[in-house]
Each structure stands twice: as structure tokens, then as C-alpha cells.
């Protein structure tokens, strides 16, 4: 973003003072490199006219203190008239208030007849200066009045520009104005995690021997938009984009303003953004990395400039979003590489080792895109156009979720105690009814063992007997899964 | 604003550079060392334009390095509060826009953008007047006024405004 300085343009520079006026115009290519700047010396021809300031002024001195003192004196002398911007001169303003007050007092003293009412009025008008609230800072200067601030207060927005901080009121002001234009465009916000959600990365050194064939199959970094497997030598990494991700982003951008939010560091995040968005059409300055968050090991929406009631989050890690669970759509993890499987304690072969991959048209991202479309469509339902601003996407999300298992009546049998509460909660959020004991209304018995009393009852009564993964799968895919795929295997 | 000033610097030179090209070596090292650097007092050193005087070298005990006091002329660039600058827009977002004038990074917050210009998001975010005649987006050239400056060791930050007469886009075909 800011590293790109292959073309820099310095142009007419003048100051609001009659005496100081320098006029130099040149264009420089490859400004950053030493050779180029040195080369510039010869192309610059300074005639005495152009540098008139220099030749007949005390600037032409090696004493830097003289130089600065001269400038400050010159600019200081001219600034009050030349700067009609009241806010810019906060100190001067206070000074003038003091002077005015002094004047009023002195007129009262001399004339003695000035009525107190008028004096008060005078004071009020003179103090009713628009005092800047310092809504934020850039390089420790107020973004509104330019005054030096201590620079420690407010939320940092390093992902937009280092040194940019905003205060809470300013953030909510920005959110409010943005919300209106967003809803006009029929859009919501979507915060996307990178690893295991949109892609999978591994260090080259961690590739297993069965995966080494991938090294010959990587796609060219010259034409990123056509590839899905990339070798990033300078980061010693290989990255595989999740199947369907390009179509996903293309369709999602019609419905959402998208952010990337990753626990990876900033260089990694930007590199991945480049792979996902080579044209820069989706994530313009909206890539948030762990370096930009306000809390360690937590992701928060405080650095996202969007109203929480309009944000959806796609992430594979629920506990990263403690404060925003209601905004979260939990993703099934994408493990393409063996190192990624190992990291999560799976001992199975990786997709890469099996020379397999998720289905392009029926994989996790394709399924979640359907959910996003449904939520978006429900949110912008025609009948409620007037009070869009009061709608809450979290409620829409939860109502869509509660359709998934609606009508199912579930009894759990011999489920590991630690797992039961979360399974039950999951099932209930998806609209299922959970009972403690079997009765005729029960539709599903969820168990890990066919031998339990309830399991045998299910078989006898011709009810569905399924593994707990049936619930987890429904939770990931937002769709009731075919029961026959989750039959419990008999224990040997 | 640009200034042509004389600065002084003590240059340390390795003995291997002594000989016929001593002066040339000193000058090229000087350029490498100072061009592109920043100081809070003088601002950004754009280019060395000439050597005023090279003093007598002082041999350092033990190392053989020689220190030469060099007086040189150079063009420096330092922005001032109240100055009008022309800059190239580098990024536009809902908070305002960032612009660069050479080494100077300027932020113009949306408080300091005229009220009739509204933010439009999309793949080319911009600020546009309601009639669409004026548009600020990436790579636009704008004339702005500096209302705050901070000069660091390597960077210069400024707060700018375009909320004043004769400020704003200057390269837009519609306004020329
Ligand atoms: Zn302020």
C-alpha cells in the first residue's frame, strides 16, 4: 500500500507568506533508491531566481538553529492572518479569548456604564469557539485540528495506516454514517478468517514425504487468479486455497462489504489477501491481522468499522470470538496439508496425501454461501424496508439456524458427559427439541453405542439412531444431513 | 517547502578509499548517507547539490579511519503548518484519505473534507460531490493545506485539510 513508491511527485510548494515562496517542480522516478536520488542532482538546475529565498536570506547558513529560528519567525508572523481556519489555531483562540475578556474588563473600568448583561453576552460569544474534541489522531496529531496529542488514547487502526487512532465516539459516528450507505446498497458486513476457513498453509519444511509431489504442481504467481496452490519461497510456505473460494468471494462481494481478520501476522495476512484478491477488488485496506487487534488471542469487532448488528463472521475457531458468538458462522476446518492435521491432533492422512480435495460445488464454502444468501435475503425482506436500520442480522442468523433441525425430537443416549451440554445446545439452536427420556414423539436417538437401552428402543420403534456427528455435520452445513450416513458402527 | 541550505557532517572514511579519488569517494558516500534521510529540524534531505568545503581529516587512533568535516549544500523539504501542498492520493476510506507529497504522508480526515463530498465505497472508494463533478480517489492529485506536522527520524506526518477555498482536486478533467 504505502511501500509502493516507484512514482513520487513533488510539485509547487508555496506558503501563505509573501516573503517565503519557493517554487520547485520536478518529477522523480524510483525515488527511494540512492542511485536515483543521486542522479537527480544533475538534473536539478537551480537558478538564482528560483532560489531567491536562499540567496538573500539568513537561511544560507550552516547553523541549523538560525535556520529554524528564521523559519519559525517568518511563518509565525504570517500565520494568524493566513490561517482563517479557527480550529487549527486552538492556542491562539484561547489567547484571543483572554484578550477579549481583558478588553471587556478594561472598557468596564473606563466607562463604568457597561451593563453586566452585555458583558456576559460578549463573554459567551467569545468563548463559544468550536473547541475540538480530538476525535482521533494520526502520527500523534489530532485528525481534525492538527494539534499535538499524547497519542496514547483511542483504538489503533494499524491495518489502515500505522499511527492512526480513533476514539470511541468517532468510531460510532463512522459506523452510523457507514451503516446508512451500506443498507442503501443492500449490503451487510462479512468478516472472514483465513486459515482453515478460506485456505490452508504449511511451511515447506513441514510437507510430508507423501506431499512432496505438490512441489511440482504449484501454480504460477504471475497469474494468481487462475491458480489455487502457491509456493511462496520467501516465506518458506505453501498455500492451498479452499475449493470454490474464488466463486465464493465473487458472489459474497455482491452482498457484503468484506474484511479479512486473521490471527496470522501482518505480512502473512497481506500476502494471503493478494492470493485471494489479486485485483484488490474485495479487501481494499480491510485486512486485519493479529498485530492490529486490541486483545491478545481474541478477535474483536472493535476495529471493524461496522455496526455489530450488521456483521457476519466466518471462522473455524469459536473461542476467538467470545464476545461475538451470535455473529459467527462456524466453519468446518479445511485441512489440506498433513502439518495442519497434526496441529489439530488428527492422525489421519491429509487431503494432499490422499491426492484428494473438498468438492468444488458441494464443499463447505459452497454450502455456507447458500446460508449467507438466505440470511441476506431474509434481512432485506421487501416487507420491512422502512425499519432496516433496526434490524439485527444476529436475529436473522439465529432464525435461519433454528430451521435446520426443526421438527426433530432428540433423545441422547450414553454421550460422554463433557460433550453432552454443547451437543444439546447445538441441537436446540438448530430448532430441535431435546428430551431426557424416550416417548412416542421422539424422532432421533443420538448415541455412540447400539447396545444401550435407548438405542435398542430406537431400532424396535423404527426411529432414527444416529451418531453425534449427525448433529455436528448439520451445524457445519446448516442442513439436516441424511441419517443413513451417520449409522453407528457395532462395537467389535 | 523546499530550501537550499548548507549543512555540516563529519564523515568517516576507511583508509582503502584514500588516494586520487578521495574527494569523489567522500561525495558519493555523503550522498548515500544523507539523501533520503529526515531530521526534525531540516526535514527531508532531497539531494546534495554541492560541496562547500572539506576540512582537514583527523586520523583516528587504532583504526586508521579518517574523519573529515564536510560542509555541503543540499535541497531539503520540510512541510509547515499553514503551507499549501500538492499531493497524490494513496488511499481513500470512510475515515478520509491519505496522500503523499514525496516523503511526506498526509492524512485528510473526513472532518476536513467539504461536507458536500460523500464517501462512496466499492472497489475504487472515493469522495464525490452530489452532482458527481468532483471526485477524489486513489492517484488523484489534490491541493491541500497543512494544519499539523510531525517530523520523525525517517518519516514526516502531516494533517491536511481541503475544506477551504481553492483546495481540492487539481487533476480532475472536469475541474480544469
Ligand atoms: Zn483536535
Amino acid at each position: 500500500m504505502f511501500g509502493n513508491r516507484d512514482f513520487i511527485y513533488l510539485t509547487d510548494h508555496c506558503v501563505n507568506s509573501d516573503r517565503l515562496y519557493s517554487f520547485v517542480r520536478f518529477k522523480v522516478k524510483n525515488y527511494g533508491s540512492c542511485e536515483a536520488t543521486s542522479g537527480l542532482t544533475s538534473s536539478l538546475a537551480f537558478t538564482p531566481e528560483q532560489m531567491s529565498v536562499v540567496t538573500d536570506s539568513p537561511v544560507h547558513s550552516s547553523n541549523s538553529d538560525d535556520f529554524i529560528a528564521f523559519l519559525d519567525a517568518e511563518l509565525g508572523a504570517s500565520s494568524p492572518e493566513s490561517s482563517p481556519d479557527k480550529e487549527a489555531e486552538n492556542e491562539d483562540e484561547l489567547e484571543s479569548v483572554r484578550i477579549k475578556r481583558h478588553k471587556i474588563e478594561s472598557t468596564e473600568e473606563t466607562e463604568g456604564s457597561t451593563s453586566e448583561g452585555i458583558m456576559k453576552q460578549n463573554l459567551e460569544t467569545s468563548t463559544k469557539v468550536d473547541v475540538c474534541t480530538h476525535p482521533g489522531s494520526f502520527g500523534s496529531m489530532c485528525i481534525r485540528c492538527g494539534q499535538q496529542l499524547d497519542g496514547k488514547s483511542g483504538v489503533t487502526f494499524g491495518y489502515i495506516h500505522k499511527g492512526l487512532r480513533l476514539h470511541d465516539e468517532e468510531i460510532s459516528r463512522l459506523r452510523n454514517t457507514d451503516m446508512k450507505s451500506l443498507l442503501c446498497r443492500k449490503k451487510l458486513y462479512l468478516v472472514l478468517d483465513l486459515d482453515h476457513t478460506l485456505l490452508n498453509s504449511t511451511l515447506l519444511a513441514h510437507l510430508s514425504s507423501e506431499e512432496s509431489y505438490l512441489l511440482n504442481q504449484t501454480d504460477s504467481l504471475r497469474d494468481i487468479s487462475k491458480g489455487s496452490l502457491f509456493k511462496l519461497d520467501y516465506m518458506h510456505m505453501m498455500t492451498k486455497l479452499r475449493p470454490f473460494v474464488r466463486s465464493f468471494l465473487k458472489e459474497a462481494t455482491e452482498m457484503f462489504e468484506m474484511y479479512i481478520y486473521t490471527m496470522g501476522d501482518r505480512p502473512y495476512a497481506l500476502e494471503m489477501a493478494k492470493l485471494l484478491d489479486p485485483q484488490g477488488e474485495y479487501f481494499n485496506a480491510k485486512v486485519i491481522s493479529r498485530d492490529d487487534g486490541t486483545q491478545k488471542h481474541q478477535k474483536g469487532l472493535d476495529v471493524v468499522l461496522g455496526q455489530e448488528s450488521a456483521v457476519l463472521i466466518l471462522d473455524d475457531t469459536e473461542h476467538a470470538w467470545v464476545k461475538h458468538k451470535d455473529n459467527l458462522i462456524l466453519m468446518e476446518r479445511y485441512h489440506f496439508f498433513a502439518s495442519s492435521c497434526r496441529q489439530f491432533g488428527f492422525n489421519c492422512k491429509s487431503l494432499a496425501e490422499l491426492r484428494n480435495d473438498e468438492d468444488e460445488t458441494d464443499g463447505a464454502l459452497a454450502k455456507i454461501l447458500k446460508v449467507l444468501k438466505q440470511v441476506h435475503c431474509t434481512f432485506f425482506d421487501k416487507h420491512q424496508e422502512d425499519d432496516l436500520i433496526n434490524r439485527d442480522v444476529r436475529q436473522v442468523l439465529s432464525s435461519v439456524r433454528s430451521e435446520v433441525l426443526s421438527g426433530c425430537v432428540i433423545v441422547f443416549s450414553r454421550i460422554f458427559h463433557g460433550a453432552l451440554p454443547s451437543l444439546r445446545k447445538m441441537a436446540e439452536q438448530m430448532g430441535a427439541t431435546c428430551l431426557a427420556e424416550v416417548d412416542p414423539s421422539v424422532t432421533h436417538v443420538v448415541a455412540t453405542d447400539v447396545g444401550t437401552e435407548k438405542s435398542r428402543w430406537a431400532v424396535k420403534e423404527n426411529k432414527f439412531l444416529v451418531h453425534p456427528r449427525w448433529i455436528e455435520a448439520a451445524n457445519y452445513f446448516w442442513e439436516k444431513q441424511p441419517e443413513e450416513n451417520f449409522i453407528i458402527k457395532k462395537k467389535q | 517547502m523546499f530550501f537550499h541550505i548548507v549543512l555540516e557532517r563529519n564523515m568517516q572514511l576507511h583508509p582503502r578509499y584514500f588516494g586520487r579519488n578521495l574527494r569523489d569517494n567522500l561525495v558519493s558516500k555523503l550522498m548515500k548517507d544523507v539523501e533520503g534521510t529526515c531530521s526534525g529540524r531540516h526535514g527531508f534531505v532531497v539531494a546534495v547539490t554541492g560541496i562547500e568545503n572539506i576540512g582537514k581529516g583527523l586520523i583516528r587512533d587504532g583504526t586508521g579511519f579518517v574523519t573529515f568535516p564536510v560542509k555541503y549544500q543540499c535541497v531539503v523539504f520540510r512541510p509547515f503548518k499553514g503551507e499549501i501542498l500538492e499531493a497524490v492520493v494513496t488511499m481513500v476510506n470512510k475515515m478520509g484519505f491519505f496522500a503523499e507529497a514525496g516523503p511526506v504522508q498526509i492524512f485528510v480526515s473526513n472532518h476536513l473534507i467539504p461536507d458536500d463530498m460523500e464517501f462512496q465505497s466499492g472497489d475504487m472508494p472515493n469522495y464525490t460531490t452530489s452532482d458527481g463533478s468532483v471526485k477524489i480517489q486513489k492517484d488523484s492529485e489534490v491541493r491541500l493545506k497543512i494544519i499539523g506536522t510531525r517530523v520523525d527520524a525517517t518519516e514526516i506526518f502531516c494533517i491536511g485539510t481541503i475544506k477551504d477555498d481553492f483546495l481540492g482536486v487539481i487533476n480532475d478533467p472536469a475541474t480544469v
Side-chain angles (χ1 to χ4, degrees), chain A residues 243-404:
Chain A
F244 194 69
V245 72
R246 298 219 185 269
S247 320
F248 176 89
L249 293 175
K250 199 171 168 200
E251 292 203 38
T253 195
E254 300 296 321
M255 304 182 280
F256 298 95
E257 189 179 305
M258 297 192 288
Y259 285 78
I260 282 178
Y261 199 142
T262 174
M263 281 300 189
D265 60 17
R266 183 141 194 83
Y268 174 73
L270 291 175
E271 209 49 55
M272 294 303 113
K274 220 183 279 169
L275 296 181
L276 292 166
D277 182 19
Q279 314 293 332
E281 26 186 358
Y282 309 135
F283 303 115
N284 166 52
K286 287 178 294 182
V287 180
I288 306 170
S289 63
R290 71 159 174 240
D291 308 335
D292 307 309
T294 51
Q295 252 183 307
K296 234 184 174 179
H297 304 306
Q298 273 295 308
K299 293 182 179 179
L301 293 180
D302 44 359
V303 290
V304 174
L305 284 176
Q307 211 90 274
E308 280 173 32
S309 60
V311 181
L312 289 178
I313 302 164
L314 275 199
D315 203 323
D316 63 290
T317 311
E318 193 175 13
H319 57 74
W321 292 100
V322 174
K323 279 185 282 178
H324 307 287
K325 281 200 168 124
D326 297 337
N327 304 77
L328 177 68
I329 295 177
L330 194 63
M331 288 298 291
E332 188 191 31
R333 286 206 172 95
Y334 179 51
H335 296 294
F336 185 73
F337 297 110
S339 69
S340 166
C341 298
R342 279 199 303 275
Q343 185 195 339
F344 285 86
F346 296 121
N347 247 334
C348 53
K349 294 225 175 229
S350 71
L351 286 169
E353 285 170 331
L354 296 168
R355 307 205 173 202
N356 198 350
D357 206 346
E358 270 185 9
D359 196 274
E360 174 81 22
T361 52
D362 200 30
L365 282 175
K367 283 177 169 155
I368 291 303
L369 182 65
K370 279 186 206 148
V371 178
L372 292 177
K373 278 182 178 162
Q374 196 184 344
V375 171
H376 182 268
C377 182
T378 317
F379 190 97
F380 288 102
D381 199 329
K382 282 266 185 299
H383 306 285
Q384 326 214 9
E385 217 161 275
D386 315 327
D387 62 353
L388 271 181
I389 201 93
N390 298 319
R391 302 217 69 182
D392 192 328
V393 76
R394 290 169 290 198
Q395 277 163 15
V396 177
L397 190 64
S398 116
S399 84
V400 169
R401 197 194 307 258
S402 69
E403 297 288 305
V404 175

Side-chain angles (χ1 to χ4, degrees), chain A residues 425-438:
Chain A
K425 196 174 157 210
M426 225 182 256
E428 280 170 352
Q429 281 175 344
M430 289 187 283
T433 313
C434 295
L435 299 179
E437 290 302 326
V438 295

Side-chain angles (χ1 to χ4, degrees), chain A residues 8 10-11 13-14 41 51 62 64 68 71 75 139-140 143 160-162 170 173 178 185 257 284 305, chain B residues 2 4 6 41-42 48 75 80 83 85-86 91 93-95 102 105 109-111 121 125 150 155:
Chain A
I8 283 177
L10 301 178
T11 178
H13 294 273
C14 46
T41 331
M51 301 310 285
S62 65
S64 57
I68 288 303
L71 285 176
L75 292 160
S140 309
I143 58 169
I160 294 179
H161 195 292
K162 70 181 159 105
E170 177 72 354
R173 188 187 72 89
D178 198 49
R185 288 177 289 131
E257 189 179 305
N284 166 52
L305 284 176
Chain B
F2 289 98
H4 195 203
V6 176
R41 302 209 135 270
H42 306 101
V48 174
V75 176
F80 286 91
E83 184 177 353
L85 270 190
E86 284 170 16
M91 192 209 307
N93 58 44
K94 45 191 114 164
M95 297 173 198
Q105 298 183 36
S109 84
N110 59 15
H111 296 279
S121 59
R150 214 195 70 191
E155 286 163 315

